[in-house]
Each structure stands twice: as structure tokens, then as C-alpha cells.
């Protein structure tokens, strides 16, 4: 206190304050320096991964980004076409869509020098499937025979390894599935299926501190919750070598700050343009703004476990509600064209060869007020007289569009109270109510594809008792068509069967498709060749600096 | 004095237990945190059950609380969902927030008290009026507006500072965020000091001192200011806790990875261990700051005695 009391500032009143301010700014200017990266390296925004960075434990985009930089699997999804292409796989052979023989290419290594062998895969998959390891993506191995022993629904596991996996040579192994699954090889581009080096098992904690993989980048340093510095790995044997020297991923809590940092020249790449900035982004970043389709579909799901919603009449009401939503207007005004009105239940990134069918939904997804009113009336009106759309209010600006959707429905039905939003505080609580089957009305559902296959947009969501069938919808015909499609070895025929199954989803309006979500990114003028892959993640290895 | 401190320290124990229990209950009311861990799809039942067991979430609440408190006394604050011990999160977050708080408090003390003395001595003059208007503006504009505005002007338009703070968060980088964080309290400190000074200026002891021929500077600093500081010290003391806990907005704007950031993440991911751990430490900071304020009274006004 004495030090304070001795201040002499009141002698020169105005200058004191001004002087203090000037000192502040000078000091502050000193604090800001370069980000400390090489000339051909870039900085990019990142979010703190929710889980430890194990491949089979990472189920969100932020951790997935890193895995995509430091790992390569048997297949890789082409960043432009989303097609699954062989990467480490030399051959994946099958005659019956149930028994597969996989040959790994020669000459691949982990960045610590260890060769990638068949065992690197089998050990990694066994680790991922084992209940003991608490891996959140364990269900990806659920198709492989013996999964129920390694990962039982309840009780202790009775085996440590999957009986469906066998190493048959240094570079070959066989996979036996529990059922026919023709597109199984195409799922192998997913991060959970990457190979792991021995150190992962022998020095687990150290590996988690600085993960070691076989991709184009190696991790130089990692400060949890703050930043990760990746360097180009010169010994990388793959065809997709990094075209820059490295990437520093900086954790941002708020995408607004990351965006401001790009404008201020403090950051090179932001891959999530905040909604509030969308109206300025084109002028702010003149040509350095990307807005490209990603494999994400937003829908409104229904609680079919609630008898009110599971009647013949309710089917008409659901279709009526779908027709009462003015998708075009909402995507243009609220999302500024970063969403595209949905016309089917998949995503444009699949391409028409991959199963995307632009007008599969047809009239049921068109805005038709008169038709909507008619259908809702025929169906016996709204169950309970009102729909409450439940959503989580903590992230993703869901409130805005739920209110807009309700507004649209209310206008069409001429009733201010026909539809209201029902916010839930946190995502965890929202998920909690969903998995506890406590929904009494429609609820927000978002689906980000795991792999670019039509199967992934249908089976996990609408197959009876499937892992993400949160509304408990069940339809025999749909299940039958999906089973047929999975058993079909001819790809075009399989896709046609999946589309027929999708037709069943449409006829019953099992979920209302709203819009396809785009990935958005902005970058500084130092960067060239910036693109987003179908998972809305930047293709870091292709970026050129300077 | 010693007895007073001892009594105050003993009083902290029930406050500490009460506060942590409340936080524990509140976080638990929010529901099952495991439900949000697997993204848009539900965790498979076996994994969810095992995670629940691992984090002790399958036990009754009172038992969870008892275990938690037991562990806290051995220095174990549990594990966050990303596998990091909470103590490790604290070790990275608290130094940053403490630095930010120090910058903010310094602003409050230096700028706030200076302006308060100036205006208190010149009531009704243009300096006084303009500072009053200025503080009113600062108080009425929300912190996030001030923060975003300064960030945009200094960081983007003029390029004087980096718009965000680097992970190291050195003192130099924290000056603008510190100013933003301090701004509202700073305005209150100015106004409090001003009123207090203006009131005491007409006090007998000041007149006596002036009549004795004590130099003006000494009158102001030793007599006037010292007696006027009690309400200001109370305010600043309680503000320490408020600033540390309330830095969420400022830390978000400037991307500072401090306590606010960890608390925000913890609440969003419903991570009981993180939230309860951080709040527990904040409660302690608050209690200690209050105790220090009370002890400072005696320094400022020797008539105050602690029995």
C-alpha cells in the first residue's frame, strides 16, 4: 500500500493517464512476436481433443485431424472424390464378402524406423476392440468375428484377441467377419484401423505424450491443451509427402479469436469460420475463403418409443412437418449458404456413383404450406397438440435454426404455439436424455460420416437397434434391404439396394432431413492449395507456404 | 491478532466443505457425463459402464464426495476425461491466470487509485467530470464488447499487439487482456476512491494537518489517502477472487489458457473432477484474500485492533 500511496501521478494529471496508456501499448507490442515457425511451415487453428490421442479412442474432428497427419492406414479417402483408395494395402481379396485376405505393401515404416507389418495392424485392432482398454471406437471392430468375446455387452471379456484376425505372413493377414459386409474394405480408411508401432504397447504413457505414427508428419512437441508442433517427415515412403515443412496446431477456445488472428496476420489457417463472421468473410479474406460440402447431415429425429409418434397418422404428420420447413430460406438467411437444403438422407460428397441421389426425398422435402397443412390434418394433428424440438444450447448455434424451423412450421400451420424449441443446457445432458429414451417429441440429430459410404448414412441410424438409432425406429423391410445390400458383392447393385432402403426411410419419414453441412475455412495470403476434405478437415499435406 | 487469524482460519473449514459440496451437487445434477463422451452416438453399454466405474460415477453421490475429498487431502484432484490429472491442468492454468490477475489488480491500484485521488481533489472540475463520464461508460459497456473492440483495433487494424495470447502468456502479452479484465473494477475503484477522498478532505484531521503547515503532498498521501483507502482495499481484496473466477470472458476473447478456459471446458464436457477441483482452489483463494483484506485494515487504521 505504501508504494501505491507514494505515487506521484497527481502532479501531472492528464499526462499520467496518457503515459500509462502509452507504456501499456509499447509493452504490449513487445509481447507480440513471430509465432516461431520455419519459413515453409504454417500455423493452424485447433481444438483441444476430448480424449487421449489413441486411434481407436478418437471420435471427434480435432483429434482426428492429428491422426490424419501422423497416420496412414490400409486405405485412404481421396481428399477430393472421397473414394477409398489403397494406401498401405497392396491387395484386399475376398470371394464371399465375409473372408478377406489383406496384403500390406512393402517398404512402409513408422517414423521411429520400425517396419509396418501385418502384426502392426492385427495388434492395433485387437487393442481397439478389447473392452479392457475403454476405447470409444471399439464398435468399429464389431463386424469382425469374435468381437462379442472380446467386448461383451456386459460382464467380463472371455478373450483378449479377435478370433476373426489371423497373421498369416509378415505382410499378410486374414479377416473373418461375423456377417457378409461387401463394403468392408472401404471402411478401412477410418482412423481406428491404422497400424500401431510396438512402443504404443510397451511405453504407452510416453507414446501418448508424443504419438508416433507412419504418416507424412511427425510430432515434434505437444503441450496438451495449448499447441502441437508437427514437422514434415523426410523419410515418409508414401506418395502424398507433405508439401510444407510443418504445421503448428494452436488450440483456440473460440473460433472468433482464431478468425481475428488470421485477419491480424498471427495465424495462417482457421478451419471453422464463426457464424457471426459469415457476412464479412468474403470481403475480409478476398478469395481466401473456402466453403465446400462435407459429409455431415442435420436431421430432426423422432422418439418412436413414444406411442404417440409411432402411429400410422404420425407418419403423415412427420411428412407434413417436413414440408412445412422452408429449408431454402433458413440456409440462406441463417447459415449464409454454408448449408445446402437436403434432398436425401446421405450427402453430396458421396457422389452419385457412391449413392447420393439428389431428389430421393422428392416432394416430401419441398416447402409446400398447403400440402403440409393437409397432411398434418389427415394424420390427426400434432401429437399432443404441439411439437417441442429438443436441442443442446451449449454449442453449434442450434438455437438459431431450431427457432427458425419452428417459426416456419408455425407460419404454415397458422398457430403460434404449434412448435417450440426445448433447449437442454449441455451436450452431455442432451445425450443423456436421448440415450435414456426420455424424449417426448422431435429432437436435433446430426450425423457426421465415419467413412464416405452410403451404408454409413443408413445402417447406424435406422437399422433396428443400431448404435445410433436414437429414436428406436424399426422397419423390417429396411433391415432386409440393408442386409441384402451388405451381402451384395457387386458395388453398383449394392448401392441401388441401399437407395431402396433409403426409400423406406423416406416413405415413413423416419427422420426429417434438413440440410447438408459445408466445411468452411479461411487462410492468410502466405498459403496456397488449401482445400478441405469430405470430412471438413484441411488437407494439410497439400498446402504450400509462400 | 494470532487468535483472530486462527479463528478465521477455523471458520474457513465449514465454508470450504459447504462450497465444494454445493459445486459437487450442482455438477452432478447436470446428469451423466459419460453420455456426452462419445459424440453424437451413444457409447456402447460395456465401454460406458467401464468408464463410469473408472471415474467412480457408479457409486452413490455421498460416497463419490467422500472419496473425492479424501483424495483432495492427499493432493489428488482426480483425472480429467482426456486422461490428464487435474493437478496437471491446474499447474498449467493457475500461473497464467495469476499473471493475468496481477496485471489487472495493478491496473486497478495504479490507474484506479490515481484517478480517484485526482478527481476527489478536484471535484466539479473538468477533470472530475470527464473521468466520471468515462468510468460510467466503462461500467455500462460489457467486458466482451471492450475486449473485442480493443482486440480488433490494437490487434487487427493497427497491428500493435497480437490479437491472441501465445501459450506462454508472458506478462507483456497480458497487458491488454489485463486492462480489459480490470476495466469495470477499475472504474469502481476510481469512483470509490474519489468519494472517499472527497468526504475526508473536509475532516478535522486534514484541516489540522494543513494548518500545521504539513506539505500538501504529505497531507494527501499520509493523512487523506491512508484514511480513505479502507473501502477501496475491501473492494480490491474481494475482487481478486472475482477476477480469477470471472476471467472466462476475457480468456476466451484473447485465447488465454487459464482457469477460465479450463472451467469452461470442464463445464461443457461436464467433467466433475475438473470443475470441482478448480472451484475448490478458487474458493480457497477467495477466503485467503478476504482474510488478508481484514488484516490490512489494521495497517491502514491503527485504531482497528483484533482481539
Amino acid at each position: 500500500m505504501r508504494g501505491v500511496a507514494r505515487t506521484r501521478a497527481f502532479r501531472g494529471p492528464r499526462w499520467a493517464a496518457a503515459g500509462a496508456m502509452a507504456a501499456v501499448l509499447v509493452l504490449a507490442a513487445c509481447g507480440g512476436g513471430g509465432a516461431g515457425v520455419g519459413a515453409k511451415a504454417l500455423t493452424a487453428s485447433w481444438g483441444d481433443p476430448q480424449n487421449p490421442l489413441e486411434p481407436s479412442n478418437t471420435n471427434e474432428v480435432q483429434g482426428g485431424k492429428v491422426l490424419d497427419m501422423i497416420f496412414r492406414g490400409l486405405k485412404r479417402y481421396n481428399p477430393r472424390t472421397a473414394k477409398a483408395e489403397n494406401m498401405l494395402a497392396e491387395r484386399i481379396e475376398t470371394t464371399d464378402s465375409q473372408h478377406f485376405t489383406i496384403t500390406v505393401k512393402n517398404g512402409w515404416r513408422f517414423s521411429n524406423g520400425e517396419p509396418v507389418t501385418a502384426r502392426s495392424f492385427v495388434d492395433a485392432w485387437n487393442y481397439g476392440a478389447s473392452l479392457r482398454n475403454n476405447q470409444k471406437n471399439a464398435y468399429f471392430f464389431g463386424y469382425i468375428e469374435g468381437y462379442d468375446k472380446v467386448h461383451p455387452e456386459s460382464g467380463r471379456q472371455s478373450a483378449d484377441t479377435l478370433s476373426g484376425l489371423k497373421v498369416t505372413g509378415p505382410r499378410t493377414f486374414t479377416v473373418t467377419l461375423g456377417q457378409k459386409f461387401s463394403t468392408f474394405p472401404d471402411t478401412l480408411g477410418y482412423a481406428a484401423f491404422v497400424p500401431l508401432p510396438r512402443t504404443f504397447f510397451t511405453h504407452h504413457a510416453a507414446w501418448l505424450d508424443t504419438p508416433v505414427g507412419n504418416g507424412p508428419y511427425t510430432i515434434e512437441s505437444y503441450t496438451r491443451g495449448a499447441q502441437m508442433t508437427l514437422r514434415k517427415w523426410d523419410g515418409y515412403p508414401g506418395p502424398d509427402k507433405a508439401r510444407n515443412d510443418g504445421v503448428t496446431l494452436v488450440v483456440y477456445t473460440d473460433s472468433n479469436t482464431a478468425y481475428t488472428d488470421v485477419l491480424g496476420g498471427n495465424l495462417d489457417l482457421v478451419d471453422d469460420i464463426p457464424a457471426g463472421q459469415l457476412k464479412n468473410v468474403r470481403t475480409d479474406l478476398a478469395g481466401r475463403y473456402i466453403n465446400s460440402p462435407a459429409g455431415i447431415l442435420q436431421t430432426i429425429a423422432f422418439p418412436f418409443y413414444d406411442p404417440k409418434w409411432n402411429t400410422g397418422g404420425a407418419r403423415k404428420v412427420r411428412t407434413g412437418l417436413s414440408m412445412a420447413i422452408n429449408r431454402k430460406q433458413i440456409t440462406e438467411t441463417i447459415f449464409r449458404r454454408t448449408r445446402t437444403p437436403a434432398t436425401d438422407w446421405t450427402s453430396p460428397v458421396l457422389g452419385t456413383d457412391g449413392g447420393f441421389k439428389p431428389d430421393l426425398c422428392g416432394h416430401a422435402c419441398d416447402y409446400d404450406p398447403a400440402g403440409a397443412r393437409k397432411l398434418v390434418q389427415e394424420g390427426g394433428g400434432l401429437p399432443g397438440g404441439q411439437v417441442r424440438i429438443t436441442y443442446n444450447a451449449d454449442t453449434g448455434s442450434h438455437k438459431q435454426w431450431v427457432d427458425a424451423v419452428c417459426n416456419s412450421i408455425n407460419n404454415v400451420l397458422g398457430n403460434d404455439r404449434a412448435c417450440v424449441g426445448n433447449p437442454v443446457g449441455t451436450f452431455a445432458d442432451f445425450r443423456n436424455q436421448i440415450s435414456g429414451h426420455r424424449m417426448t417429441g422431435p429432437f436435433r440429430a446430426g450425423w457426421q460420416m465415419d467413412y464416405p459410404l452410403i451404408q454409413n448414412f443408413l445402417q447406424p441410424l435406422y437399422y433396428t437397434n443400431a448404435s445410433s438409432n436414437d429414436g428406436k425406429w424399426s422397419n423390417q423391410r429396411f433391415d432386409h434391404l440393408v442386409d441384402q445390400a451388405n451381402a451384395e458383392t457387386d458395388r453398383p447393385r449394392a448401392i441401388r439396394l441401399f437407395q431402396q432402403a433409403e426409400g423406406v426411410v423416406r416413405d415413413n419419414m423416419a427422420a426429417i432431413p434438413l440440410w447438408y453441412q459445408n466445411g468452411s475455412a479461411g487462410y492468410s495470403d502466405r498459403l496456397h492449395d488449401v482445400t478441405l476434405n469430405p470430412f471438413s478437415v484441411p488437407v494439410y499435406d497439400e498446402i504450400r507456404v509462400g | 491478532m494470532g487468535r483472530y487469524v486462527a479463528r478465521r482460519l477455523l471458520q474457513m473449514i465449514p465454508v470450504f466443505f459447504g462450497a465444494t459440496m454445493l459445486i459437487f451437487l450442482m455438477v452432478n445434477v447436470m446428469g451423466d457425463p459419460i453420455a456426452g463422451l462419445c459424440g453424437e452416438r451413444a457409447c456402447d453399454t460395456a465401454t460406458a459402464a467401464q468408464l463410469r466405474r473408472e471415474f467412480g460415477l457408479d457409486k452413490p453421490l455421498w460416497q463419490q464426495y467422500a472419496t473425492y475429498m479424501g483424495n483432495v487431502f492427499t493432493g489428488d484432484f482426480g483425472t480429467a476425461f482426456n486422461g490428464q490429472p487435474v493437478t496437471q491442468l491446474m499447474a498449467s492454468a493457475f500461473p497464467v491466470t495469476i499473471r493475468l490477475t496481477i496485471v489487472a489488480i495493478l491496473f486497478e491500484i495504479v490507474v484506479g487509485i490515481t484517478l480517484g485521488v485526482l478527481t476527489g481533489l478536484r471535484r466539479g472540475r473538468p477533470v472530475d467530470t470527464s473521468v466520471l463520464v468515462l468510468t460510467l461508460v466503462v461500467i455500462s459497456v460489457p467486458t466482451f464488447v471492450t475486449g473485442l473492440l480493443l482486440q480488433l483495433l490494437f490487434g487487427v487494424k493497427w497491428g500493435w499487439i497480437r490479437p491472441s495470447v501465445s501459450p506462454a502468456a508472458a506478462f507483456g502479452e497480458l497487458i491488454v487482456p489485463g486492462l480489459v479484465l480490470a476495466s469495470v473494477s477499475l472504474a469502481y475503484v476510481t469512483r470509490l476512491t474519489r468519494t472517499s477522498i472527497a468526504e475526508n478532505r473536509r475532516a478535522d484531521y486534514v484541516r489540522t494537518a494543513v494548518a500545521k503547515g504539513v506539505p500538501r503532498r504529505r497531507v494527501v498521501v499520509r493523512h487523506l489517502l491512508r484514511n480513505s483507502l479502507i473501502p477501496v482495499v475491501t473492494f480490491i481484496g474481494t475482487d481478486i477472487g472475482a477476477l480469477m473466477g470471472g476471467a472466462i470472458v476475457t480468456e476466451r476473447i484473447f485465447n488465454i489458457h487459464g482457469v477460465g478456459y479450463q472451467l469452461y471446458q470442464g463445464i461443457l464436457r461436464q467433467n466433475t473432477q475438473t470443475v470441482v477441483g478448480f472451484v475448490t482452489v478458487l474458493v480457497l483463494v477467495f477466503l485467503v484474500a478476504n482474510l488478508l483484506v481484514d488484516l490490512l485494515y489494521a495497517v491502514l487504521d491503527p485504531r482497528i485492533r483484533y482481539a
Side-chain angles (χ1 to χ4, degrees), chain A residues 77 82 84 139-140 143 181 183-193 295 349-350 447-457 459-460 534-535, chain B residues 41:
Chain A
Y77 302 115
Y139 59 87
F140 275 94
Y143 299 106
F181 184 10
T183 41
F184 173 72
D186 287 355
T187 67
L188 297 177
Y190 188 73
F193 293 105
V349 299
L350 296 181
W447 183 250
Q448 166 139 29
M449 65 179 185
D450 301 310
Y451 25 77
L453 291 177
I454 182 172
Q455 179 264 352
N456 191 238
F457 280 92
Q459 192 169 356
F535 303 89
Chain B
R41 74 169 80 205

Side-chain angles (χ1 to χ4, degrees), chain A residues 226-227, chain B residues 96 99 165-171 173-174:
Chain A
Q227 72 175 37
Chain B
V96 175
R99 280 203 289 277
V165 171
S166 72
F171 269 111
E173 292 177 89
L174 292 175

Side-chain angles (χ1 to χ4, degrees), chain A residues 116-128:
Chain A
V116 181
T117 62
R119 196 182 160 207
S120 319
F121 285 96
V122 171
D123 285 354
W125 296 6
N126 278 326
Y127 178 89

Side-chain angles (χ1 to χ4, degrees), chain A residues 134 139 151 261 431 450, chain B residues 32 40-41 44 50 54 164:
Chain A
N134 284 344
Y139 59 87
H151 199 115
D261 258 352
R431 283 300 324 174
D450 301 310
Chain B
D32 178 10
E40 292 285 352
R41 74 169 80 205
D44 66 273
Q50 190 155 313
E54 199 175 291
S164 70

Side-chain angles (χ1 to χ4, degrees), chain A residues 316-331:
Chain A
K316 285 190 174 170
V317 173
R318 291 193 295 271
T319 313
L321 287 174
S322 167
M323 287 159 76
I325 299 168
N326 193 340
R327 295 173 175 76
K328 188 163 176 291
Q329 194 190 38
I330 296 172
T331 50

Side-chain angles (χ1 to χ4, degrees), chain A residues 278-328:
Chain A
L278 287 173
K279 60 178 187 297
N280 317 323
V281 67
R282 277 172 219 278
T283 44
D284 280 352
L285 290 172
R288 288 176 279 115
Y289 164 60
I290 305 175
N291 178 22
S292 61
I296 307 171
L297 177 70
Q298 295 278 350
T299 61
I300 293 180
F302 295 92
F304 290 97
Y305 43 80
D306 183 339
K308 288 203 301 287
W309 283 102
N310 206 1
T311 62
R315 185 176 59 87
K316 285 190 174 170
V317 173
R318 291 193 295 271
T319 313
L321 287 174
S322 167
M323 287 159 76
I325 299 168
N326 193 340
R327 295 173 175 76
K328 188 163 176 291

